[in-house]
C-alpha cells in the first residue's frame, strides 16, 4: 500500500441507508450469467437515491463525491441489461422529499405482477425524539421538512407495488428499522431485509456494506462462500454480517418474511481459482497490519482489498505478509445511542475518532 494513499471513506457522519426491493426472485450479472439466476433484468425496476450533500448544512455535513458507490451500483444494473427507462437515480439536490416520494410511488405503479424492484438510498439516517420514527434524510430535510420515513417505504410498497416480494437493504445509522417495519407492516408483499446495523445503532461512515452488496450482486468470486458458483440471499447476508463485524465492529441485521426464500439465487458467481479467496485476513504493509480480504490469487501471491480503502489501493502480496484474522462480534445486543430530535439531527461525530479524513 503506498504511503501517500490516504484512507478514502465517507465521514462517519454519513449514515447510509440502502434499500433493495424486489417483487420476485432477484439476481445480478451479465445476460449470459443471468440465465441461471432467479430474475430477469428486463423485468427489474431500479430506484436509487444518493444524498451526499444537503441544503441545510448546519444539520447535515456533506461528503466526498469521488468514486460514489451509489453511482457504481446504478451502472452495474445498466450493464446487466436493466432498461434505462426502468432505472431512476436521484442524487443530492435532485433528492428532495417531494421528488423522492413522487418518483418512488410512480415507479412502483409501473411494475407488473412478477416484476422485480430494487431501491437504494444513501445519506444520513436519524430518529425522532420518541424513537418511534426513523427517517432517511432527503436533500431538503430540516426544521419544516421531514425526510423519507422507513415506515412509509414499506407502506408504499404494500399499496402500489404489484409484485409479490421486496428485498430491503440499508447501510446506515438505525438501518435495522427497515426490518422492523417490514415485519410490522408487511402483509401482501413478502420481504427480505439486510442492513448494516440495528434499528437503534449508528453505522460506519465507510462503504463496507455497499461494497459487499455490489460484489455479491455482481457475482464476484470472493462473495461465493461455498464455491458452488451461486450467491444466494442467505450467503450474501452472511458475507455482510462478517464484513461488518470484522471491519467495522458492528452487527448487521437480516430477516425474511412470507415466501421470500433465503435460498433465492441472487447471482451466478465467477469461478474461484484458489480456496484462499474469500478469506478475511490481516496484511502487513509498510510495517503495519491492515484488515483486508483476499479477492484473487495467482502464482503463490494473493490480491487483497483493504477495508475502508479505494480499489486503487488493492495490491498483490506474498503469503508471508498475511496472518489469519479472528472475527469478533460486538458484545451485547445494542450500544447506547443518543436520542435525536427529528428537526435537529446531530452530525454523529462520536465516530470521527475512528475514521481518517478523505482527501481529493
Amino acid at each position: 500500500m503506498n504511503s501517500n494513499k490516504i484512507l478514502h471513506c465517507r465521514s462517519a457522519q454519513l449514515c447510509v441507508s440502502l434499500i433493495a426491493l424486489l417483487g420476485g426472485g432477484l439476481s445480478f450479472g451479465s445476460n449470459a450469467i443471468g440465465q441461471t439466476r432467479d430474475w430477469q433484468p428486463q423485468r427489474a425496476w431500479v430506484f436509487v437515491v444518493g444524498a451526499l450533500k444537503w441544503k441545510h448544512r448546519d444539520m447535515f455535513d456533506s461528503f466526498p463525491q469521488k468514486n460514489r458507490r451509489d453511482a457504481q451500483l446504478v451502472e452495474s444494473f445498466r450493464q446487466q441489461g436493466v432498461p434505462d427507462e426502468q432505472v431512476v437515480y436521484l442524487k443530492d439536490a435532485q433528492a428532495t422529499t417531494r421528488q423522492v416520494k413522487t418518483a418512488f410511488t410512480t415507479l412502483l405503479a409501473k411494475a407488473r405482477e412478477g416484476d422485480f424492484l430494487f431501491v437504494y438510498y444513501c445519506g444520513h439516517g436519524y430518529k425522532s425524539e420518541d424513537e418511534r420514527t426513523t427517517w432517511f434524510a432527503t436533500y431538503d430535510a430540516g426544521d419544516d421538512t421531514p425526510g423519507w420515513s422507513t415506515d412509509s417505504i414499506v407502506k408504499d410498497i404494500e399499496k402500489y407495488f404489484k409484485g409479490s416480494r421486496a428485498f430491503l437493504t440499508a447501510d446506515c445509522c438505525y438501518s435495522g428499522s427497515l426490518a422492523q417495519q417490514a415485519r410490522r407492516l408487511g402483509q401482501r408483499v413478502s420481504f427480505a431485509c439486510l442492513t448494516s446495523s440495528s434499528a437503534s445503532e449508528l453505522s460506519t461512515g465507510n462503504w463496507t456494506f455497499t461494497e459487499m452488496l455490489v460484489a455479491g450482486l455482481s457475482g464476484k468470486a470472493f462473495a461465493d462462500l461455498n464455491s458452488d458458483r451461486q450467491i444466494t440471499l442467505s450467503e450474501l447476508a452472511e458475507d455482510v454480517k462478517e464484513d461488518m463485524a470484522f471491519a467495522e465492529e458492528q452487527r448487521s441485521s437480516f430477516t425474511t418474511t412470507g415466501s421470500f426464500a433465503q435460498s433465492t439465487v441472487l447471482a451466478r458467481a465467477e469461478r474461484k481459482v484458489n480456496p484462499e479467496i474469500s478469506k478475511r485476513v490481516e496484511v502487513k504493509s509498510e510495517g503495519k497490519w491492515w484488515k483486508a480480504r483476499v479477492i484473487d490469487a495467482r502464482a503463490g501471491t494473493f490480491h487483497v482489498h483493504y477495508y475502508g480503502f479505494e480499489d486503487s489501493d488493492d495490491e498483490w502480496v506474498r503469503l508471508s505478509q498475511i496472518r489469519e484474522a479472528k472475527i469478533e462480534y460486538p458484545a451485547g445486543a445494542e450500544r447506547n445511542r443518543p436520542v435525536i430530535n427529528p428537526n435537529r439531527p446531530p452530525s454523529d461525530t462520536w465516530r470521527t475518532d475512528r475514521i481518517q479524513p478523505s482527501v481529493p
Side-chain angles (χ1 to χ4, degrees), residues 86-243:
Q86 294 173 201
V87 178
V88 173
Y89 178 29
L90 303 175
K91 68 177 183 178
D92 302 331
Q94 299 172 330
T96 64
T97 297
R98 176 178 293 181
Q99 179 62 14
V100 168
K101 291 183 176 181
T102 299
F104 185 51
T105 55
T106 298
L107 185 76
L108 293 177
K110 291 180 180 179
R112 297 169 296 168
E113 183 176 354
D115 281 359
F116 311 127
L117 174 66
F118 185 95
V119 181
Y120 171 96
Y121 167 87
C122 70
H124 285 282
Y126 61 102
K127 279 183 173 293
S128 62
E129 194 170 49
D130 60 8
E131 299 191 20
R132 294 183 178 179
T133 304
T134 300
W135 287 280
F136 300 148
T138 51
Y139 176 75
D140 58 345
D143 292 338
D144 301 320
T145 304
W148 194 21
S149 66
T150 56
D151 63 328
S152 73
I153 292 169
V154 177
K155 289 177 180 177
D156 283 345
I157 294 167
E158 283 283 325
K159 183 176 181 179
Y160 297 106
F161 184 52
K162 298 181 179 67
S164 59
R165 294 186 294 176
F167 180 22
L168 314 181
T169 73
D171 183 4
C172 76
C173 301
Y174 316 116
S175 55
S177 172
L178 281 172
Q180 289 184 341
Q181 299 301 336
R183 289 192 296 267
R184 185 174 72 90
L185 301 171
Q187 297 180 1
R188 181 182 59 81
V189 177
S190 296
F191 290 90
C193 190
L194 177 61
T195 73
S196 65
S197 67
S198 72
S200 59
E201 186 178 33
L202 298 182
S203 187
T204 179
N206 290 329
W207 288 105
T208 301
F209 177 93
T210 306
E211 288 180 339
M212 188 64 251
L213 184 72
V214 174
L217 300 182
S218 299
K220 297 298 183 183
F222 68 87
D224 181 15
L225 298 181
N226 60 5
S227 303
D228 66 352
R229 300 202 65 185
Q230 288 186 334
I231 297 174
T232 64
L233 174 62
S234 60
E235 198 167 18
L236 177 59
E238 183 66 20
D239 251 330
V240 165
K241 174 185 174 183
E242 298 203 7
D243 264 2

Side-chain angles (χ1 to χ4, degrees), residues 167-358:
F167 180 22
L168 314 181
T169 73
D171 183 4
C172 76
C173 301
Y174 316 116
S175 55
S177 172
L178 281 172
Q180 289 184 341
Q181 299 301 336
R183 289 192 296 267
R184 185 174 72 90
L185 301 171
Q187 297 180 1
R188 181 182 59 81
V189 177
S190 296
F191 290 90
C193 190
L194 177 61
T195 73
S196 65
S197 67
S198 72
S200 59
E201 186 178 33
L202 298 182
S203 187
T204 179
N206 290 329
W207 288 105
T208 301
F209 177 93
T210 306
E211 288 180 339
M212 188 64 251
L213 184 72
V214 174
L217 300 182
S218 299
K220 297 298 183 183
F222 68 87
D224 181 15
L225 298 181
N226 60 5
S227 303
D228 66 352
R229 300 202 65 185
Q230 288 186 334
I231 297 174
T232 64
L233 174 62
S234 60
E235 198 167 18
L236 177 59
E238 183 66 20
D239 251 330
V240 165
K241 174 185 174 183
E242 298 203 7
D243 264 2
M244 298 309 295
F246 177 54
E248 308 298 345
E249 300 178 6
Q250 68 186 56
R251 290 179 180 272
S252 61
S253 298
F254 175 56
T255 190
T256 58
T257 71
S259 61
F260 204 124
Q262 295 189 17
S263 59
T264 298
V265 177
L266 300 179
R268 174 69 169 162
E270 300 166 351
R271 185 175 65 88
K272 272 189 183 179
V273 298
N274 187 297
E276 300 301 309
I277 294 174
S278 296
K279 287 189 175 180
R280 294 167 182 85
V281 298
E282 292 182 337
V283 178
K284 193 170 187 179
S285 180
E286 299 183 351
K288 295 182 179 180
W289 290 97
W290 305 88
K291 293 180 178 181
R293 192 166 189 187
V294 179
I295 59 176
D296 201 358
R298 70 183 182 201
T301 60
F302 302 90
H303 199 207
V304 298
H305 173 71
Y306 295 101
Y307 290 101
F309 285 78
E310 291 292 341
D311 291 345
S312 58
D313 289 305
D314 295 354
E315 62 181 348
W316 290 91
V317 299
R318 301 181 301 277
L319 182 61
S320 60
Q321 294 175 254
I322 298 176
R323 71 183 183 189
E324 186 176 355
K326 183 179 181 181
I327 299 176
E328 296 183 355
Y329 294 97
E334 306 290 345
R335 298 175 185 171
N336 291 326
R337 300 303 186 203
V339 174
I340 299 178
N341 186 302
N343 294 326
R344 299 291 295 180
S347 57
D348 303 339
T349 53
W350 72 280
R351 296 290 299 268
T352 56
D353 62 322
R354 294 182 50 200
I355 304 295
Q356 297 182 36
S358 59

